[in-house]
Amino acid sequence: MALFKKKKDSDTNDIIAELDPAVVKDGTIDTDEVMRKYDKESNTRIWEGVPKIVVTAFLVLFSVYCICMTLLSTEQAEARLARFLAFIIVIGFMIYPARKTNHRVNHIPWYDIVLMLAGFGAFMYFAMNCTEILLMGARIEPIHVALGIIGILVLAELCRRCVGLPIIIVVACLVIYAFYWQMTSSSNADFYNSLRKVVQKLFYTTSGVIGTPINVCYTYIVLFVIFGAFLERTGIANFFISLANRIAGWSSGGAAKVSVIASALCGMVSGSSVGNTVTTGSVTIPMMKKTGYKPEFAGAVEAASSSGGQIMPPIMGAAAFLMAEYIGIPYIEVATKAIIPALLYFAGIFIAVHLEAKKLGLKGTPKSELPTIPYLLKNCYLILPLVLLVWLVASGTRTMAASAAISIAGAFIIGFINFLLNSWRERAEGESFGAVFMETVKIAALMVVDAFSAGAKNTIAVAVACAMAGMIAGCITVTGLASTIINVIVLMAGDFIIIGLIFTMICCLILGMGVPTTANYCIMASTCAPILIQLGIDPICAHFFVFYFGIAADITPPVALAAYAASAIAKSRPMATAVNATKLGIAKFVVPYIFAFSPILLLVGDNVTLPAVLLNTGTALVGVFGLQCALTNTLFHHHLNPVFRIILAIGGLGMMIPGTVSDIAGLVIIIGMCTVQYILSKKHHSTSALSDETSNTDALPKLNDLELDETVTDNS
């Protein structure tokens, strides 16, 4: 086999042709197939024709119902939440099949209809007889016990379909434990009475499926999910990508930097690590590979950046609203406190891709080919709904629900204006404004239907996962298991808080595997955050700590769904992509420890002043730089000596550990290593230049026109 072969020009189609045939259709990336493979929420039934119209109409009506009920209803909370879950079960079984491979068109099996009606009947019965059942307390009758069991089992099956097994396994173990605890906690407890009490707690009280998580989902999250669906359809994603291209596309390895910025901006709106990875990755990953990045690195950049969208203010994938409810502070405070940690995280990825680009000698896109500033200014009105939302929430003049509803209306207006302008620019010769306007009305109407439909679909998995999270919290609270876990970890940690933090981190990474962000945080807030609070960590820092590590599960092997989805597009090794994503997202593993010991990064504490915040942010940023140099194995365009890598990592961690002594020591180490590496790189350049002058290059093939054979490169 020849060692060299002629280089040929490649374009996007060449890159796409390299992809797994399973994710390629008609020469383009089939993002739907990737989503179905790696994202439970996208494994949906296929409806066409009249059935599709009926299903879509039901989804639209459900979204409108949620908005109206949230804004206008004064009904008892238990009744509203039970009815909400009844409708969720109906649309859930209409959308999600029992198996991943069951994609027959316009088909729903009889057993799904039976499950749908049984679950709907159980929750609707509770909603219609809410007051009577609540007055019974623990004396509910056998019919109520049977309906409660049916409702819980049907909800669990729907959760298996749209969320996955991990959360079901956790819930099942805790329910069994709750039943065992109920049997053994009383001397005269029998099987039926124990079962009745468990069902009553988990189904008919706010300590179970209709607990805090589903209440927050119904009150806030549904509206913001619908808002996100409207925002995506206004064309804001394309604007974000264009903006990212203008900001960073011209620099070394600009394609990867564009991916970082675009994924951060789009991710905060979408709220799904896998969804954001596939949506933006279908554009950015082929672009990165074409630039010269290895497939594993390109996929890792997209996965790490997309999983960070949920920590990016102001929306933060809707989990910020849950956090505000759990901590008891206004939402705008949560978004404000999240700014510095999010910037540190994305700065770490940005530094890593820059170092990799310099090492590989990659160039950026010529400025003449980038979106122009006038173009961006002309389209900057697309972000107005987002600005409106932030202003309404920050001003406090409206409730959260009202702010979301007004922002939805604003997104529709902006979308209509965008469609009208585009239609006018692309109009046929001689076409009147009236004809263009009427065509825009049709497009806008379809956009509204599509957005309401997508919002309802996206709500299903979040609502079901929140209901399961409520059961987890209920089992832990009722049985006293939370206190037991806390006492064990506190006892094991002793006076060393770091040990408790490490144990909590491991719990978060395990419990967060394959679970959507919102439900992920609900589980962490119920199980892990109290542990840290008991250890003496500030409650705000404790909740941010578990939030970060719960999300980190999306890029952490062995269950790194965002990384695996990116690897399908990049045609890379899944585990290698996940490992690279973990290295790129190292800040997500280090920054939580920083604000656990130094809350000033979250703007918490009595010593929060501008100089102190800037100093702590600066030292943390230098520390992230040192760590990324060590992990990417490059500085000043050259590989690092293994000893230098270890020393740089120590220096980076020293800069990130709160304290003047550690900061000074870390700074001295990093400056020293940078100086030594700079001198060595200069010496290397001088030696290389001298060698080039004295060598006879005429007899060798020109490497500018040749490249290594891929098989040989892979084997090496």
Side-chain angles (χ1 to χ4, degrees):
M1 182 180 294
L3 180 63
F4 298 94
K5 65 179 183 180
K6 284 287 181 182
K7 183 188 295 184
K8 63 180 181 179
D9 294 334
S10 61
D11 55 15
T12 305
N13 291 331
D14 295 326
I15 296 169
I16 293 173
E18 297 176 356
L19 297 175
D20 184 346
V23 299
V24 175
K25 182 182 291 183
D26 298 328
T28 59
I29 300 171
D30 187 358
T31 55
D32 291 337
E33 184 61 35
V34 178
M35 290 288 286
R36 280 194 291 268
K37 187 174 182 180
Y38 295 100
D39 186 19
K40 281 280 187 180
E41 298 178 49
S42 302
N43 180 36
T44 58
R45 299 187 197 277
I46 299 174
W47 298 102
E48 293 181 357
V50 175
K52 181 179 180 179
I53 295 173
V54 174
V55 172
T56 301
F58 193 88
L59 292 171
V60 171
L61 290 174
F62 175 76
S63 292
V64 174
Y65 164 81
C66 288
I67 294 174
C68 294
M69 290 296 289
T70 302
L71 294 176
L72 306 174
S73 178
T74 57
E75 192 179 13
Q76 193 171 1
E78 287 84 354
R80 286 186 287 114
L81 297 178
R83 188 180 297 108
F84 172 70
L85 284 173
F87 290 134
I88 284 290
I89 285 175
V90 172
I91 63 175
F93 279 95
M94 283 178 8
I95 298 298
Y96 292 101
R99 295 184 302 276
K100 185 179 289 189
T101 56
N102 189 4
H103 289 131
R104 291 172 58 185
V105 177
N106 295 343
H107 174 73
I108 180 169
W110 64 268
Y111 52 82
D112 277 2
I113 297 175
V114 171
L115 289 173
M116 178 198 302
L117 295 177
F120 175 80
F123 279 99
M124 190 58 72
Y125 178 87
F126 177 33
M128 296 175 65
N129 301 275
C130 179
T131 304
E132 178 186 343
I133 293 174
L134 291 178
L135 290 175
M136 291 181 182
R139 302 185 306 277
I140 55 174
E141 299 174 357
I143 181 64
H144 303 130
V145 176
L147 289 173
I149 293 173
I150 291 172
I152 290 173
L153 291 177
V154 171
L155 197 63
E157 166 58 16
L158 181 57
C159 183
R160 182 194 67 80
R161 298 183 182 197
C162 63
V163 179
L165 276 176
I167 191 172
I168 296 297
I169 294 172
V170 173
V171 171
C173 292
L174 287 174
V175 170
I176 293 171
Y177 176 78
F179 179 74
Y180 169 79
W181 177 85
Q182 194 69 51
M183 287 279 291
T184 57
S185 62
S186 177
S187 58
N188 59 350
D190 56 23
F191 180 87
Y192 173 72
N193 284 323
S194 298
L195 180 64
R196 181 174 62 176
K197 289 180 180 178
V198 170
V199 171
Q200 190 262 338
K201 287 287 185 183
L202 297 183
F203 191 79
Y204 295 109
T205 72
T206 53
S207 297
V209 292
I210 56 172
T212 299
I214 198 66
N215 186 36
V216 175
C217 177
Y218 172 82
T219 308
Y220 305 125
I221 295 177
V222 172
L223 295 183
F224 283 91
V225 167
I226 296 172
F227 170 67
F230 268 89
L231 204 58
E232 288 177 346
R233 282 152 183 79
T234 62
I236 195 171
N238 292 331
F239 174 77
F240 281 154
I241 293 174
S242 298
L243 178 63
N245 265 293
R246 184 65 201 182
I247 294 173
W250 55 270
S251 62
S252 299
K257 296 173 183 176
V258 168
S259 174
V260 175
I261 298 173
S263 297
L265 295 173
C266 296
M268 68 176 177
V269 175
S270 72
S272 169
S273 297
V274 177
N276 192 29
T277 298
V278 174
T279 302
T280 58
S282 60
V283 177
T284 60
I285 291 176
M287 197 163 55
M288 283 187 276
K289 289 178 66 180
K290 185 178 180 182
T291 302
Y293 286 105
K294 294 179 180 178
E296 286 78 12
F297 190 85
V301 170
E302 181 58 46
S305 303
S306 294
S307 68
Q310 287 72 43
I311 63 174
M312 187 69 181
I315 296 181
M316 299 172 64
F321 307 107
L322 274 171
M323 192 178 294
E325 186 75 15
Y326 273 108
I327 302 174
I329 62 176
Y331 155 78
I332 195 63
E333 285 191 30
V334 174
T336 303
K337 294 179 186 301
I339 293 175
I340 296 176
L343 292 178
L344 288 175
Y345 175 72
F346 285 105
I349 303 176
F350 206 85
I351 291 169
V353 299
H354 178 76
L355 292 171
E356 185 74 11
K358 287 295 185 182
K359 181 173 68 176
L360 298 175
L362 304 181
K363 304 297 182 181
T365 305
K367 289 189 176 181
S368 60
E369 299 178 14
L370 296 175
T372 62
I373 293 178
Y375 168 81
L376 294 174
L377 292 175
K378 186 173 65 176
N379 290 278
C380 67
Y381 66 89
L382 292 171
I383 66 171
L384 287 178
L386 199 56
V387 174
L388 175 64
L389 172 66
V390 174
W391 177 77
L392 288 171
V393 172
S395 65
T397 56
R398 298 286 191 278
T399 64
M400 291 291 293
S403 299
I406 294 172
S407 300
I408 290 172
F412 167 74
I413 294 171
I414 292 300
F416 183 86
I417 293 173
N418 189 42
F419 296 146
L420 181 61
L421 293 176
N422 289 335
S423 298
W424 181 251
R425 284 193 292 263
E426 298 172 4
R427 71 189 186 280
E429 185 177 354
E431 190 174 7
S432 66
F433 177 78
V436 172
F437 184 84
M438 292 307 299
E439 183 65 25
T440 303
V441 170
K442 295 178 183 178
I443 296 173
L446 292 175
M447 184 268 283
V448 170
V449 171
D450 188 34
F452 274 136
S453 176
K457 284 183 183 179
N458 295 338
T459 298
I460 300 170
V462 176
V464 172
C466 283
M468 292 291 105
M471 290 181 64
I472 290 174
C475 291
I476 290 175
T477 304
V478 170
T479 61
L481 185 59
S483 300
T484 303
I485 296 174
I486 292 171
N487 292 335
V488 169
I489 293 183
V490 170
L491 183 63
M492 294 175 66
D495 296 330
F496 299 98
I497 296 178
I498 186 68
I499 296 177
L501 292 172
I502 292 173
F503 278 127
T504 305
M505 175 191 73
I506 295 171
C507 290
C508 292
L509 291 175
I510 293 173
L511 293 175
M513 290 179 180
V515 180
T517 302
T518 308
N520 190 335
Y521 171 68
C522 290
I523 298 170
M524 304 309 152
S526 304
T527 57
C528 298
I531 298 173
L532 300 182
I533 296 172
Q534 189 70 23
L535 288 170
I537 304 296
D538 183 272
I540 295 175
C541 299
H543 281 267
F544 266 95
F545 185 94
V546 300
F547 180 50
Y548 263 59
F549 279 113
I551 296 174
D554 283 337
I555 57 172
T556 307
V559 185
L561 294 182
Y564 295 161
S567 73
I569 299 175
K571 196 192 174 185
S572 61
R573 294 167 295 168
M575 191 56 66
T577 305
V579 170
N580 274 304
T582 303
K583 289 162 59 178
L584 288 170
I586 190 65
K588 196 179 285 185
F589 295 86
V590 178
V591 169
Y593 285 93
I594 301 176
F595 56 62
F597 289 105
S598 179
I600 195 170
L601 287 181
L602 289 174
L603 308 180
V604 174
D606 299 329
N607 59 337
V608 179
T609 60
L610 182 60
V613 171
L614 292 177
L615 177 63
N616 280 268
T617 304
T619 55
L621 189 58
V622 175
V624 169
F625 170 77
L627 275 177
Q628 289 292 11
C629 288
L631 290 172
T632 55
N633 188 23
T634 182
L635 183 60
F636 295 115
H637 314 181
H638 290 287
H639 292 290
L640 289 165
N641 182 294
V643 176
F644 286 5
R645 294 180 69 182
I646 296 173
I647 295 174
L648 265 174
I650 294 173
L653 290 173
M655 289 291 291
M656 301 177 83
I657 296 173
T660 305
V661 175
S662 61
D663 286 347
I664 294 174
L667 185 61
V668 169
I669 290 173
I670 291 176
I671 291 176
M673 287 295 98
C674 288
T675 303
V676 172
Q677 185 68 12
Y678 179 76
I679 294 172
L680 291 176
S681 67
K682 283 293 184 183
K683 183 178 178 180
H684 176 78
H685 278 302
S686 300
T687 305
S688 299
L690 182 61
S691 176
D692 290 341
E693 290 177 2
T694 57
S695 63
N696 183 7
T697 59
D698 295 336
L700 296 176
K702 293 184 179 180
L703 297 181
N704 289 334
D705 298 326
L706 303 170
E707 68 176 2
L708 286 174
D709 185 85
E710 291 179 9
T711 306
V712 176
T713 303
D714 291 341
N715 291 337
S716 64

